[in-house]
Amino acid sequence: MQIYRSHVLVCSGTGCTASGSAGLFDEFESQLKANGIENEVKVVKTGCFGLCAEGPIVVVYPEGSMYCRVTKEDVSEIVSEHLVKGRIVKRLLESNKDQQAASADAENTDFFKKQMRIALRNCGRINPENIDEYIAEDGYEALGRVITSMTPEEVIDVMLKSGLRGRGGAGFPTGRKWDFARRSVSDKKYVCCNADEGDPGAFMDRSVLEGDPHVVLEAMAIAGYAIGSDQGYIYVRAEYPIAVKRLEIAISQAKEYGLLGKNILGTDFSFDIELRLGAGAFVCGEETALMTSIEGHRGEPRPRPPFPAVKGLFQKPTILNNVETYANVPRIILNGAEWFSSIGSERSKGTKVFAVGGKIKNTGLVEIPMGTTLREVVYDIGGGIPNGKKFKAAQTGGPSGGCIPASLIDTPIEYDTLIEIGSMMGSGGLIVMDEDTCMVDLAKFFLSFTVEESCGKCPPCRIGTKRMYDILDKICSGKGELSDIDDLYALASAIKNSALCGLGQTAPNPVLSTLRYFKDEYIAHVVDKKCPAGVCKNLLQYRIVADKCRGCSACARKCPVNCISGEIKKPFVIDQSKCIKCGTCMDTCKFGAIVKE
Amino acid sequence: MKSLEELRALKAKVKNDMSLRDGSEDTRVVVGMATCGIAAGARPVMNAFLEEVSKRNIKNVQVTMTGCMGLCRLEPIVEVIDKDGNKVTYVKMNAEKASRVVAEHLVNGRVVTEYTIGAAAQ
């Protein structure tokens, strides 16, 4: 096959596609042609590099130069400078943005240095629509070894010894799940993949599917061999069109190569995978609801036991693992259980991918060894909080998780320590908050999500979360009483104990954890009728400081409801009865004379 | 695909192309491609290297480019740097010389002394 002197990798994950990477690929091809070097340089579409905040991202090898926020106009410069003349375009380099010594190799930037990529190892390196590139990176070697030289028991033994735990949130040991399903006797068993990523802000599964779809297919086939199944289903949300398309391409390529289908690699083992598209209901990420949905029914959970490993999809023994869990499996087979269990901490092995968002410089995807502290993620990898603000808290686990306050920023990130401090690993959304975030408002936001997404089957979740939301709304609008806080506790424990599925049972967590660490903010809302962060509109006032006001009338002219009046060159006043608290006056004032309190 | 051996054979074939992204301990063939190099005919030299390396399916070789070394009169200049950093500088290259360097130096490990800067610059 033809080799090239340089590879240009254009990110075509959802993040970079949204910021305009689609046109870059064609632009590179045409610019290369224009310069007559199309036979020397290859342009490749890849999955997500993780640094979505700086997208669209382009990486040029062999130098490994990572160019950020590349526009169509920049392409000709990259081609004529870097690819024709060999001069790296420094102004577009990632590291240049923080005035560090501009490093030409992306691996040396702070964002990547502390990361360890196992699940994401191929994302941003290979072309996800080309099975050959996956195979070049040891792809399907693990499946080949498993089905030609290992017994199902040996496979399960490796998984058990590796210590891999489910990456979807609950952290159940993967090997034990497989072992249960293996022991269930049945004529038919199923392997399912949960790709119904629903937590607000989490997108690591999407990135794996978009950047390395074959790894999921390979791992599912390995799981099928281990438990004795010949049929897999991937339940993926239809809102992930790029992931769906790449999965379809991957499945058809794997079938063409005989790596899925009948008698894989000439053995007796047969395995097939089909896609099922979800309509985007949050509850369908819950395992029993997900299987009900695959069966063609309305996605509602059912009580467990029986557990899926005994009676799952179509009443047959089923295993259901998350995308990221599967993405670890082939590496564990290839490198061995000891290798995997040497990474991470005592009780949490391996790495975890986090989708870091909110008030942080480097929004994006990071994969870190378990046991890394939150401080390292926020400050070293994430680049800290923008605009010189202070770190207040981080929310992990989305609407099922809780917040980690600044006082606990040195907590190692592991399944058990997070639960001890009232949060949870969850699927890996990590939302960073600064001093401008109101914790009551935050709890209200997550509850509004649960209220909207509750499937309505059980009353504790359907009615209970709505009542909790109403109380939070009351507190935020300044009508709260101290007894409301007690009511929140009572409702939370009732819902936790009686809801049907994990979704309802964990719905009160954001309220409980903010109450645990930020009770003073609740009290401030209820007793002092103040919102310390200045977020809850009904609890704040804009006021003009007479000493500082020069009477220029700039604010009065901008006010959309004309509630500011006064004489030129004398202090102006805001009519509080008419003020809608939009904050325009504060943004307009050049003298800092308007305060929010 | 009917066997694991077939899968591994395919992998061996496609691996070479991907090694460029590893930054691994490859031998690097660096072609001077500044204006002086290009004017003196570096592009056909570069293409000859790429072609020969793919044709012979040589592992662990990167063909890449660099700017002007300041020895414009000796262009096209090609440097072959092994994984330990030992460098051989070939000067006044052309496509035929490139194929010979591939055959002798990259495949058999014998430096083509007559094209090196020490010999050819005289």
Side-chain angles (χ1 to χ4, degrees):
Chain A
M1 68 186 293
Q2 197 185 355
I3 71 160
Y4 298 84
R5 68 170 164 88
S6 186
H7 289 182
V8 176
L9 275 56
V10 181
C11 177
S12 52
T14 294
C16 287
T17 303
S19 51
S21 75
L24 296 181
F25 184 83
D26 297 334
E27 185 67 16
F28 267 109
E29 299 244 285
S30 71
Q31 288 286 344
L32 290 177
K33 276 216 184 80
N35 283 279
I37 52 173
E38 73 271 21
N39 294 325
E40 301 166 19
V41 179
K42 176 167 153 182
V43 192
V44 184
K45 287 185 190 174
T46 68
C48 183
F49 293 96
L51 198 60
C52 310
E54 296 290 336
I57 304 254
V58 171
V59 178
V60 180
Y61 284 101
E63 293 87 354
S65 314
M66 179 178 263
Y67 292 125
C68 298
R69 295 180 192 254
V70 179
T71 61
K72 245 179 158 171
E73 289 69 46
D74 295 329
V75 170
S76 68
E77 189 179 344
I78 295 177
V79 171
S80 65
E81 281 295 302
H82 189 155
L83 297 170
V84 173
K85 297 178 192 149
R87 290 200 289 245
I88 289 167
V89 186
K90 291 215 170 101
R91 69 172 181 90
L92 293 170
L93 286 180
E94 189 261 327
S95 39
N96 212 22
K97 305 251 149 80
D98 328 41
Q99 272 82 46
Q100 303 168 357
S103 158
D105 190 347
E107 304 278 319
N108 286 332
T109 58
D110 285 345
F111 181 72
F112 287 107
K113 248 188 288 180
K114 281 209 171 178
Q115 293 197 48
M116 174 168 194
R117 300 192 145 211
I118 299 175
L120 298 178
R121 63 186 292 277
N122 282 334
C123 288
R125 275 181 55 83
I126 66 166
N127 178 350
E129 297 182 8
N130 182 349
I131 189 171
D132 286 353
E133 294 205 354
Y134 180 66
I135 289 173
E137 296 292 317
D138 303 324
Y140 291 103
E141 170 77 20
L143 175 65
R145 270 194 225 170
V146 162
I147 59 178
T148 54
S149 62
M150 288 170 84
T151 64
E153 287 78 10
E154 282 168 349
V155 176
I156 287 173
D157 196 49
V158 170
M159 297 314 294
L160 280 170
K161 283 194 179 132
S162 73
L164 176 65
R165 293 167 66 173
R167 299 295 193 244
F172 192 81
T174 307
R176 272 176 56 203
K177 199 182 250 184
W178 291 16
D179 196 31
F180 288 141
R182 162 111 205 123
R183 286 163 199 272
S184 296
V185 183
S186 172
D187 56 330
K188 187 89 183 169
K189 294 181 189 176
Y190 295 101
V191 173
C192 292
C193 173
N194 186 346
D196 191 62
E197 192 170 43
D199 281 4
F203 54 92
M204 62 290 295
D205 293 347
R206 188 191 72 207
S207 276
V208 172
L209 296 174
E210 288 174 357
D212 196 12
H214 284 284
V215 77
V216 176
L217 306 185
E218 181 180 6
M220 287 178 72
I222 293 171
Y225 178 78
I227 70 162
S229 159
D230 64 353
Q231 178 65 51
Y233 288 101
I234 300 176
Y235 189 84
V236 55
R237 42 181 39 216
E239 290 111 317
Y240 284 176
I242 299 178
V244 171
K245 184 179 143 232
R246 300 216 172 121
L247 276 171
E248 281 167 353
I249 293 171
I251 291 174
S252 78
Q253 286 177 343
K255 281 185 179 165
E256 201 179 301
Y257 274 31
L259 295 164
L260 282 178
K262 291 233 170 313
N263 300 100
I264 296 171
L265 296 177
T267 63
D268 295 336
F269 176 63
S270 302
F271 192 77
D272 210 348
I273 293 176
E274 285 180 33
L275 292 185
R276 288 290 179 271
L277 303 193
F282 183 58
V283 72
C284 287
E286 196 278 337
E287 61 176 11
T288 58
L290 185 150
M291 290 184 298
T292 316
S293 178
I294 292 181
E295 288 168 3
H297 305 292
R298 180 185 174 137
E300 284 182 341
R302 60 159 179 77
R304 296 174 305 182
F307 284 93
V310 179
K311 235 181 197 184
L313 190 60
F314 302 115
Q315 307 297 312
K316 303 290 182 191
T318 302
I319 55 166
L320 180 66
N321 287 119
N322 161 272
V323 171
E324 193 191 332
T325 315
Y326 281 126
N328 282 292
V329 170
R331 274 294 121 185
I332 295 175
I333 300 284
L334 289 178
N335 295 359
E338 291 74 30
W339 164 79
F340 191 78
S341 63
S342 70
I343 301 162
S345 64
E346 188 58 35
R347 286 179 297 176
S348 302
K349 303 298 185 192
T351 58
K352 178 77 192 86
V353 185
F354 283 96
V356 186
K359 305 287 180 62
I360 190 151
K361 263 194 199 139
N362 295 335
T363 309
L365 270 193
V366 304
E367 181 168 355
I368 46 163
M370 297 273 191
T372 306
T373 63
L374 183 60
R375 182 188 296 278
E376 289 172 283
V377 176
V378 172
Y379 286 100
D380 298 347
I381 300 172
I385 319 288
N387 307 323
K389 300 271 174 148
K390 271 205 322 242
F391 173 83
K392 182 171 188 179
Q395 174 90 11
T396 61
S400 301
C403 64
I404 305 171
S407 58
L408 294 173
I409 194 172
D410 288 309
T411 310
I413 297 174
E414 302 169 333
Y415 288 102
D416 310 280
T417 46
L418 288 186
I419 287 173
E420 277 161 30
I421 62 171
S423 183
M424 67 185 278
M425 184 77 84
S427 60
L430 197 149
I431 298 165
V432 178
M433 291 160 282
D434 68 6
E435 48 198 305
D436 292 340
T437 312
C438 165
M439 300 313 277
V440 185
D441 184 61
L442 174 88
K444 194 177 105 179
F445 165 76
F446 280 115
L447 262 184
S448 75
F449 180 83
T450 327
V451 168
E452 208 158 281
E453 291 290 347
S454 172
C455 78
K457 187 171 179 178
C458 73
C461 178
R462 184 181 68 236
I463 303 170
T465 56
K466 175 76 175 119
R467 286 286 83 83
M468 284 183 84
Y469 175 82
D470 291 344
I471 293 175
L472 289 173
D473 196 42
K474 190 177 154 198
I475 293 177
C476 286
S477 55
K479 296 173 193 141
E481 298 153 42
L482 276 175
S483 65
D484 287 334
I485 295 180
D486 299 328
D487 290 345
L488 282 177
Y489 278 118
L491 273 168
S493 84
I495 296 171
K496 257 177 152 357
N497 293 329
S498 59
L500 177 60
C501 76
L503 233 92
Q505 289 157 13
T506 55
N509 283 355
V511 179
L512 288 175
S513 81
T514 47
L515 269 173
R516 180 165 163 184
Y517 296 113
F518 297 96
K519 197 165 186 177
D520 51 328
E521 278 192 35
Y522 280 83
I523 305 277
H525 280 75
V526 172
V527 180
D528 312 332
K529 308 288 178 206
K530 292 266 180 237
C531 175
V535 172
C536 300
K537 280 192 179 176
N538 286 325
L539 297 179
L540 58 90
Q541 270 191 0
Y542 286 90
R543 195 169 58 80
I544 297 178
V545 183
D547 294 352
K548 286 190 181 168
C549 179
R550 308 273 182 94
C552 71
S553 85
C555 57
R557 276 177 278 136
K558 282 274 168 113
C559 177
V561 290
N562 296 320
C563 73
I564 307 179
S565 56
E567 259 177 72
I568 295 291
K569 293 197 174 164
K570 288 197 179 140
F572 276 55
V573 206
I574 300 175
D575 179 354
Q576 298 297 343
S577 63
K578 282 200 230 156
C579 175
I580 56 165
K581 290 151 189 169
C582 63
T584 308
C585 50
M586 198 167 160
D587 296 340
T588 310
C589 183
K590 288 194 183 105
F591 312 105
I594 299 179
V595 290
K596 184 166 78 166
E597 53 193 21
Chain B
M1 239 175 278
K2 288 278 169 280
S3 69
L4 186 54
E5 284 64 46
E6 258 181 85
L7 176 71
R8 285 178 181 159
L10 173 65
K11 176 177 157 189
K13 209 174 119 215
V14 288
K15 180 79 201 163
N16 218 7
D17 182 44
M18 294 295 291
S19 64
L20 186 67
R21 297 178 210 170
D22 291 335
S24 55
E25 299 159 345
D26 287 347
T27 299
R28 289 190 300 140
V29 176
V30 184
V31 184
M33 296 273 271
T35 303
C36 50
I38 294 170
R43 180 133 280 131
V45 173
M46 152 83 69
N47 286 330
F49 270 107
L50 286 172
E51 212 170 284
E52 285 292 317
V53 170
S54 358
K55 212 159 66 189
R56 293 166 178 267
N57 198 19
I58 305 169
K59 301 273 179 301
N60 304 324
V61 170
Q62 275 184 18
V63 181
T64 171
M65 57 182 258
T66 187
C68 172
M69 285 170 58
L71 279 166
C72 310
R73 66 187 182 92
L74 298 178
E75 293 281 358
I77 298 177
V78 174
E79 293 188 314
V80 178
I81 306 163
D82 71 11
K83 61 181 190 322
D84 303 317
N86 301 317
K87 188 153 76 178
V88 176
T89 307
Y90 293 109
V91 297
K92 293 187 177 171
M93 292 293 284
N94 58 34
E96 290 92 83
K97 290 181 179 177
S99 355
R100 208 177 131 200
V101 168
V102 172
E104 299 203 6
H105 188 159
L106 297 181
V107 177
N108 295 318
R110 284 198 306 265
V111 174
V112 191
T113 320
E114 53 185 294
Y115 301 157
T116 58
I117 188 160
Q122 305 312 314

